[in-house]
Amino acid sequence: MPAVRWKNAPDASFARPRRGRPLPDAQGQGFEVPLKGDGKANGSSRRTRLRALADGSVRESGGEVAAVDLGSNSFHMLVARESGGQLQVLDRLREAVRLAAGLDAQGRLSAAAQARALECLSRFGQRLHGIPSQRVRVVGTNTLRRLQHGEAFIAAAERALGHPIEVISGLEEARLVYSGVTHGMGEAKPQRLVVDIGGGSTELIIGRYQEPRLMESTALGCVTHTQRFFPDGEISKRRMHEARLAARVELEFVERRFRASGWDLAIGASGTVRGAWRVMQAHGWIGECITREALEKTLELTVRAGRVERLELPGLREDRRPVFAGGLAVLAAVFDALGLREMETSEYALREGLIYDLLGRLHDRDVRHRSVEALAQRYGVDRRQAHDVERTALKLLEQAATGWQLPRTDSQRLLAWAALLHEIGLVIAHEGSHRHGEYILRHADIFGFSQTDQKLLAALVRLQRGKFAESVLDDVPEPWRTPLARLAILFRLAVLLHRSRTPKLRLPLRLEVAGRSLRLVFGRGWLARHPLTREDLEIEAQRLAAVGYRLRFE
C-alpha cells in the first residue's frame, strides 16, 4: 500500500498473541513480540490475555514507554514496558477533559477548557517524569487540528507534560487506531473494518491483517454531535432522528467504497462504542457483540429519558453521560451507512497504536522511513543524486552540530529525508520545483508524520535554493526556528555543491561555524578548478548575508 494519500489493570499485558507469524509494527511488518494465545478481538481475548508472570521468571525487562492521547473528549495515558517478550501495562490514566466543548466556531479554545487540560496534563506530567523523551509519544487529534493560533496553549501544555506534543492528521490517527486494534489478532477473518468514534472525529478503516488499506476520518464525534443536536440537554425523538440522519449524510461519501471493499469482521473502538456496549451488556441484551437490535433498544431508552441529566442507564459511566446521546446517534449512523448487523468491540485504540509505533522507532523500524521511500519511488527521485546530497549534508552537520548546538539525531533524520525528497517537485516543473516540493510535503498525508514533522521537512525542501525566504519558518514551532534555519543553510550548501550531478563526487572540504558565521575550506586549488561552484558560493554568500549570516570560503 502506498505510504501517502491525498486530499486501570496495571499488571495486564495488552499485547495480543501471534499465530504462526511475527506481530507486525504499525504498517504490517517487522517488529516481533512473541506471545501465545487465541488472538480474538472480543471479550474472549480479554479473558485469555497474558498477564505478567508472577513467578519472577522474567529476567529481562526493557525500559518504560508511554503514549498520551489528547482526544477531543478524554485525555488518555498508557505506560508500559517490554518484559519477557511481551508488552506489560504498568499504568493507565484517563480524564474526561472535553476539549472539543471549549472550541468555538473561530477555532479558539475557552479559558475553562484550557484550564481543565493543563490541570490534567500536570498530573500526567508527574507520572511521565523520568521517562526519556525518546520513549514517550504525545499526540493531539481533532480538536488540536482545528485549534487556531494555539501556539501559547500548546507551549503551556508541553511544559505541563514535560514532553513535546505532535498534532496528527485524521488519516494518521486512523492508521494508528487500526494498528492498536488489530495488532497481533492472528490470521482468522483477515479483512477487518475498524470504527473509532472519538470526541471530535470518527475514523473508519478497512485493512487486511495488520495493513490498513482504506481509511477515512470524518467530522463526527460524540462531543461535537451532542453540542449540535442536544445543546440544552433535551433528548427528543425528533432530535435523535435528526442527529442520526445528519451523521448518515456525513458518512455518505464513504458508504459505497467501504461496502464494495467488504470485511470479514467489524470492530468498534474507543469510549463511545465501549460505552454503548456496556449499557447493552448491563441490560442483558447482548453477549460480546453490539447488535443492531440492542442498539435500537438503547436509542429508545435514551430518548425515553428525555434529558441528559436523567440518563440513568445501567453500565453508563457518569463522565460518559453528557456526550452519550450524540455518540449513540453517530454509532447508529455507522450501522445504517455500512449495513452492519453486529460489531465486536475492542478495548485497544489509538494509544496502543502509539506504543507499537514508538517501539518500531526504538527498534529502528520507523514507519516514517518507509513513507519517505514510498514518496521517492512515487515521484521518480534520482536516488544517486539524492544519496550524494545526503552524504555531503551529513558531513557538514557532523562539523557544525556542536558549534550550532543542533540536535544530532533529529537533524540527521531531517537532512536524510530532505535529501531523498528535495527533487520531488520536478515532477511538476523545473521552474519553482522547490516550491512545488514544499507544497506536496505540506499537503500530503504521510504515514507516521505529525503536522510538525511535515512542516519541518517541507521547509527544508523549500529553502534548498534561491532566496532564503525566512517567512517559510513562520509556522514552524518556535524552538525549531533557529535550528531549522541552520539546517537549511547546511542543506543549501550540500545541494549547491552537487549542482554538477557528478556521480559519487567527494568534496575536499571543512566547515567551521561560530554564531552566524560560516567558513568553508576546500582542498588546495579545488575552487580554481571549479569556477561554477565558486560563482554559486559567491551568490549564496549574498543571499545568506540578507538574513544575517556570513559565509566565507577559500
Side-chain angles (χ1 to χ4, degrees):
M1 171 178 164
V4 58
R5 277 199 62 180
W6 286 94
K7 13 175 231 190
N8 272 331
D11 62 340
S13 164
F14 64 79
R16 282 203 187 85
R18 65 172 179 170
R19 182 173 293 173
R21 59 187 275 159
L23 291 187
D25 61 14
Q27 276 211 325
Q29 50 189 322
F31 183 67
E32 180 172 345
V33 184
L35 300 172
K36 300 177 181 177
D38 65 5
K40 297 179 182 177
N42 58 20
S44 173
S45 72
R46 288 190 294 276
R47 291 191 295 271
T48 61
R49 208 178 329 132
L50 290 178
R51 294 184 177 272
L53 297 179
D55 59 4
S57 60
V58 176
R59 292 181 174 85
E60 295 183 5
S61 176
E64 291 183 344
V65 290
V68 181
D69 164 16
L70 306 182
S72 297
N73 185 52
S74 302
F75 286 3
H76 296 263
M77 182 177 71
L78 177 64
V79 182
R81 69 181 175 193
E82 298 172 79
S83 180
Q86 69 183 53
L87 288 175
Q88 184 183 60
V89 175
L90 301 177
D91 209 353
R92 292 182 187 269
L93 286 174
R94 173 191 176 275
E95 294 194 25
V97 175
R98 274 189 277 284
L99 202 63
L103 196 68
D104 66 18
Q106 287 72 46
R108 297 172 302 198
L109 195 59
S110 70
Q114 291 190 43
R116 290 195 304 270
L118 294 176
E119 288 169 5
C120 171
L121 295 178
S122 294
R123 291 186 282 274
F124 282 15
Q126 179 184 342
R127 178 60 183 86
L128 294 173
H129 182 73
I131 304 178
S133 285
Q134 67 270 24
R135 302 185 70 86
V136 177
R137 282 198 69 189
V138 185
V139 300
T141 57
N142 182 265
T143 298
L144 292 187
R145 288 195 290 270
R146 295 162 54 206
L147 182 62
Q148 298 294 315
H149 308 297
E151 295 83 359
F153 170 68
I154 295 289
E158 291 179 334
R159 287 193 299 272
L161 267 173
H163 295 277
I165 294 171
E166 308 171 44
V167 180
I168 58 175
S169 71
L171 292 189
E172 175 63 6
E173 182 179 354
R175 182 187 72 85
L176 290 167
V177 165
Y178 188 84
S179 171
V181 170
T182 66
H183 194 101
M185 280 179 58
E187 298 187 1
K189 299 182 178 179
Q191 190 85 346
R192 293 146 187 177
L193 165 69
V194 173
V195 178
D196 183 295
I197 301 173
S201 66
T202 293
E203 280 64 52
L204 302 100
I205 314 99
I206 290 179
R208 189 162 183 83
Y209 298 114
Q210 280 74 39
E211 181 184 1
R213 295 186 171 182
L214 182 61
M215 298 186 293
E216 290 295 347
S217 179
T218 67
L220 290 170
C222 63
V223 176
T224 52
H225 221 56
T226 297
Q227 286 179 309
R228 180 179 175 187
F229 291 98
F230 313 102
D232 57 359
E234 179 188 345
I235 307 172
S236 66
K237 186 174 182 178
R238 178 183 59 81
R239 285 189 178 190
M240 183 62 77
H241 174 74
E242 290 174 352
R244 184 172 180 171
L245 183 60
R248 174 70 186 272
V249 170
E250 187 71 26
L251 292 166
E252 189 174 13
F253 79 103
V254 308
E255 183 175 329
R256 179 175 295 180
R257 288 182 297 121
F258 273 66
R259 287 196 182 208
S261 179
W263 54 85
D264 303 318
L265 175 68
I267 311 170
S270 290
T272 292
V273 174
R274 296 283 292 173
W277 173 78
R278 289 190 191 96
V279 170
M280 296 172 199
Q281 276 213 327
H283 283 85
W285 296 335
I286 60 171
E288 296 298 339
C289 294
I290 292 175
T291 65
R292 177 177 287 276
E293 182 182 5
L295 178 57
E296 297 294 347
K297 289 180 179 179
T298 307
L299 284 161
E300 184 180 340
L301 277 185
T302 302
V303 169
R304 194 182 303 165
R307 293 197 59 81
V308 167
E309 60 269 23
R310 292 203 294 266
L311 274 173
E312 299 289 348
L313 303 179
L316 182 62
R317 284 198 314 242
E318 182 65 29
D319 63 354
R320 177 60 51 184
R321 181 191 303 172
V323 296
F324 187 70
L328 199 62
V330 174
L331 180 59
V334 170
F335 267 67
D336 295 340
L338 300 183
L340 293 173
R341 302 305 306 172
E342 65 178 27
M343 173 186 283
E344 293 190 5
T345 71
S346 173
E347 59 193 300
Y348 311 130
L350 174 60
R351 50 203 169 274
E352 285 79 15
L354 279 171
I355 290 286
Y356 296 132
D357 207 57
L358 175 58
L359 287 170
R361 295 184 182 188
L362 293 173
H363 289 268
D364 198 26
R365 294 181 177 90
D366 191 338
V367 67
R368 293 174 297 179
H369 298 327
R370 293 201 300 277
S371 295
V372 169
E373 286 286 339
L375 272 174
Q377 181 175 357
R378 177 176 181 174
Y379 290 101
V381 162
D382 181 343
R383 288 178 178 269
R384 186 182 65 187
Q385 175 72 2
H387 292 154
D388 287 344
V389 170
E390 176 187 352
R391 184 179 61 251
T392 298
L394 294 179
K395 181 178 180 180
L396 294 172
L397 173 64
E398 184 181 346
Q399 298 176 71
T402 300
W404 270 353
Q405 297 181 319
L406 297 172
R408 288 181 184 270
T409 301
D410 289 341
S411 298
Q412 289 169 348
R413 185 163 47 227
L414 278 169
L415 286 175
W417 291 340
L420 188 56
L421 299 179
H422 77 284
E423 291 189 326
I424 62 173
L426 289 173
V427 75
I428 299 175
H430 177 271
E431 183 67 26
S433 62
H434 55 309
R435 290 189 290 271
H436 302 320
E438 177 199 16
Y439 183 88
I440 291 170
L441 293 173
R442 282 187 182 273
H443 297 284
D445 282 300
I446 311 175
F447 289 174
F449 277 69
S450 67
Q451 290 182 0
T452 297
D453 288 336
Q454 289 189 233
K455 288 176 182 178
L456 298 177
L457 180 56
L460 278 181
V461 169
R462 171 65 175 83
L463 293 172
Q464 65 180 280
R465 62 186 176 89
K467 176 184 175 182
F468 196 103
E470 287 186 296
S471 60
V472 172
L473 303 174
D474 287 349
D475 67 345
V476 168
E478 194 280 330
W480 263 107
R481 288 177 190 168
T482 296
L484 194 68
R486 291 175 171 178
L487 284 177
I489 292 171
L490 300 180
F491 190 54
R492 290 168 68 89
L493 291 173
V495 171
L496 179 157
L497 292 168
H498 287 278
R499 181 179 180 180
S500 68
R501 307 185 83 87
T502 303
K504 299 180 181 180
L505 176 64
R506 300 284 177 170
L507 296 160
L509 64 84
R510 184 177 78 252
L511 173 64
E512 300 169 359
V513 299
R516 299 176 77 87
S517 296
L518 305 86
R519 179 171 174 257
L520 274 175
V521 181
F522 293 86
R524 184 186 298 273
W526 193 90
L527 279 178
R529 297 191 300 273
H530 297 82
L532 178 59
T533 301
R534 174 181 283 278
E535 182 178 0
D536 284 343
L537 286 171
E538 289 172 353
I539 295 171
E540 183 64 13
Q542 295 171 15
R543 288 170 171 163
L544 293 182
V547 292
Y549 283 87
R550 183 187 181 195
L551 170 63
R552 294 177 295 152
F553 51 90
E554 58 189 61

